[in-house]
Amino acid sequence: MIDETLLDAPDRLTRADPRGLLRAVAAAGAQVRTATRAAQESDLARINPDGRPGTVLLAGPSPATPLLADLLCALTGDGVPVRELRPTGALAAPGALTWPLPRWVGPLDLLLVLSADGTEPGLALLVEAAYRRGATVATVTPPGSPLAEASAHRRYLTLPLATAPHADLADHPAAPGPAWALVTPLLMLADRLGLIPPDTADADALLAMADRLDAVAERCGPAANTHGNPAKTLAAEFGAALPLLWSEGPLARAAARHGAATLTGLPGVPAFAAELPEALTAHGALLNGGLALGGTDEDFFRDRVEEPPVTRPRVVLLRSPLPPGVDGPAATAAQAARELVFEQGVTLSELEPVVDRESVGPPAPLLLAAEYLTQLDFAAVYVTVAAAARS
């Protein structure tokens, strides 16, 4: 359970957050803005696209890698296959990891490599392997790092990792917020290469997204009371629940998968993500009861003093905006989800945009995904900080 009085005490939240997680997630907009301007001043502006790659591959040890892969999958649609390379290694430490290159990779493919420090030997080896295959490579990494030097040696596009000034990086590998510094330049590259719809992630679109992230941070930040703060509300709900993040649409799927990974990797809250309509069967068994050892609800005479608390599921529904004129199957899946959850007596929340609710028409897809991601990031941080305050 979360002490909800803590959520409405900004000073206590700050004292319980020595790792700077709240500052890190609040700086997401500043990270996007700084990375966008740095990319505009880099060699990215001199790229002349010449056709599309056969496959886009991504590699890196950061949580930003699967997030970028999901965002690109959502934005490219069926236009270009996107594949994340999974690392292998005897140890989980980044220095011991290697990223094997599939045998079929060749001159028509594009490899994107992102690293927050650029010191992983396995990534430099991956760049060399791609060079031998004739593949095109682009990297995002700190200037002067071994990865940057390996990329520059082979005359590949090397985009500098530019973090926001005065935005301290959080002392946790799963901390949200800094991932935007890695993701933003490669979204701009995808836009420049024509891999995604025009103007989806150009400089103007990303600066608008940065403004939106700032607005969400103000709405979800520590100074905003729980009432009217969607992130604090989610955190209070997740404190004694099993979060099930159900998504409808590819960008909502990206946010749900990232949210589940952040909840698991940061506060250690087991969370699961699934797409509709598959979620109705994939998580159906989880809706039937709480997760706990001991007696059942029908065991009237059991000893309730020593038994563990029951963890009840909570479904959070995330939906992408539908294209104009499209309804029916998608709306049916969401309604079926609501009906199933209601029949099982499980609580349901629906994540919604928290900015520009009165604007006409749905928000731009990338803006909506950024809103969802930031709300879930703030919720995970609040759960983490509340757990630290109890210990």
Side-chain angles (χ1 to χ4, degrees):
M1 296 291 292
I2 285 183
D3 178 7
E4 295 191 26
T5 63
L6 172 67
L7 296 178
D8 284 332
D11 292 340
R12 291 176 59 197
L13 284 171
T14 301
R15 290 195 298 270
D17 182 28
R19 290 181 166 182
L21 295 173
L22 285 168
R23 292 194 305 274
V25 68
Q31 300 287 8
V32 170
R33 196 172 291 108
T34 301
T36 298
R37 290 169 179 162
Q40 286 180 294
E41 298 171 357
S42 71
D43 293 336
L44 178 63
R46 291 188 286 274
I47 290 180
N48 293 314
D50 184 16
R52 290 188 172 190
T55 303
V56 176
L57 303 103
L58 297 96
S62 166
T65 305
L67 172 59
L68 178 62
D70 285 340
L71 289 175
L72 289 180
C73 281
L75 294 172
T76 58
D78 297 330
V80 178
V82 178
R83 175 173 173 178
E84 180 190 356
L85 298 182
R86 303 290 183 177
T88 62
L91 300 175
L97 297 178
T98 60
W99 283 261
L101 199 63
R103 294 181 179 180
W104 48 262
V105 172
L108 298 179
D109 300 311
L110 170 64
L111 172 64
L112 306 178
V113 184
L114 48 164
S115 171
D117 54 33
T119 60
E120 302 85 358
L123 291 179
L125 294 175
L126 176 63
V127 170
E128 290 298 321
Y131 175 78
R132 291 192 296 270
R133 304 280 190 89
T136 302
V137 178
T139 62
V140 177
T141 190
S145 66
L147 176 58
E149 293 177 356
S151 179
H153 176 67
R154 296 304 184 184
R155 299 184 182 277
Y156 287 135
L157 175 64
T158 305
L159 300 173
L161 176 63
T163 57
H166 312 298
D168 297 332
L169 297 182
D171 183 21
H172 196 289
W180 288 109
L182 291 164
V183 168
T184 299
L186 294 178
L187 286 175
M188 293 184 69
L189 175 62
D191 186 89
R192 180 81 176 173
L193 296 177
L195 303 181
I196 59 180
D199 303 327
T200 300
D202 62 3
D204 291 338
L206 290 173
L207 291 175
M209 187 177 75
D211 293 339
R212 181 66 60 94
L213 290 171
D214 288 344
V216 176
E218 183 177 355
R219 180 77 177 273
C220 296
N225 292 330
T226 300
H227 178 70
N229 185 325
K232 288 184 178 181
T233 301
L234 280 176
E237 295 169 351
F238 291 160
L242 174 69
L244 304 178
L245 307 183
W246 291 1
S247 59
E248 187 177 71
L251 284 167
R253 172 183 178 269
R257 283 164 52 90
H258 175 79
T262 304
L263 281 167
T264 303
L266 199 57
V269 173
F272 301 93
E275 296 179 83
L276 291 174
E278 291 85 355
L280 303 179
T281 53
H283 292 170
L286 296 174
L287 301 179
N288 294 329
L291 303 179
L293 301 175
T296 64
D297 289 341
E298 289 75 19
D299 186 3
F300 183 79
F301 294 103
R302 72 182 184 276
D303 184 358
R304 291 176 169 82
V305 175
E306 298 298 333
E307 69 181 12
V310 175
T311 300
R312 300 290 183 184
R314 171 174 282 276
V315 174
V316 179
L317 182 60
L318 296 80
R319 302 182 65 191
S320 297
L322 300 176
V326 175
D327 53 16
T332 302
Q335 185 58 33
R338 297 185 188 98
E339 293 173 357
L340 176 62
V341 169
F342 178 77
E343 291 172 359
Q344 297 292 339
V346 174
T347 51
L348 170 71
S349 302
E350 296 198 36
L351 213 58
E352 298 180 349
V354 299
V355 180
D356 294 343
R357 288 185 175 182
E358 298 180 357
S359 62
V360 178
L366 194 57
L367 292 183
L368 182 64
E371 282 204 40
Y372 285 166
L373 288 163
T374 306
Q375 290 182 61
L376 291 169
D377 283 346
F378 263 109
V381 168
Y382 285 128
V383 175
T384 305
V385 172
R390 289 198 308 269
S391 61

